[in-house]
Amino acid sequence: MCIVEPESFEESYLDESWRNAMKAELEMIEKNNTWKLVDRPFGKPIIGVKWVYKTKLNLDGSVQKNKARLVAEGYSQKPRIDYNETFAPVARLDTIRTLIALAAQKEWNLYQLDVKSAFLNGVLKEEVYVEQPQGFVKENEEIRVYKLNKALYGLKQAPRAWYDEIDSYFNKVGFKKSPSEAALYVKTSEDSGILIVSLYVDDIVYTGSCPKLLEEFKNDMMQHYEMTDLGLLYHFLGMGVVQTDKHIFLH
């Protein structure tokens, strides 16, 4: 009848599905080697962290999953002390629509990948420390803090660090970035055709002329990053997408 997201850690901890969501988030953080437990440094700012809860819905309004995100309280960061560059480009909506129009004209399929905890892949250039998360403080090590190797959600530089990471990976594997759209990448091959990829933070939309090239791209990405294969594009930035052999319908 009604979906109510918890507003506090105490409230969420009473529900097993939210407890599991928090554990899954911490497992992802550990798996990505995002941080290391260290002694509290003298004279360095320590940033707090908090849990944020979100119920993800399918296009029809049914529950897809409960998502718990550990977020750094980035509002306490100070420029040139624990962050520098923060801007990160994302795909413009007209670029996505143009890509869909091109796919419709060429009778290509559009596919979507979702990067799990994308910002946790961005390598930090600055020295940043955060408190241990509520409910998961290590026993007998309450005074210690985490030193971040990679970004956490909420850090001012997190989007930038993730964009730098994925941009360098695309360049390394042979993609060319569009000169007029910083989140659009194209890879061409004489024998395999063309592959076009558009990036919107942690959502990746891709299409192209060769099924083999599309499959290779998906496998490479899933090998390099923790990914969810969402299959054919059907829901993106609030748009519903229906694909058939002859046309693509947006709603």
Side-chain angles (χ1 to χ4, degrees), residues 71 94 125 127 149 240:
V71 176
D94 51 353
K125 298 181 177 75
E127 196 175 335
N149 305 314

Side-chain angles (χ1 to χ4, degrees), residues 56-73:
K56 289 202 161 188
L57 303 177
N58 293 311
L59 201 56
D60 61 3
S62 59
V63 175
Q64 187 186 82
K65 63 177 175 179
N66 286 335
K67 182 76 186 169
R69 179 77 76 201
L70 186 66
V71 176
E73 295 172 343

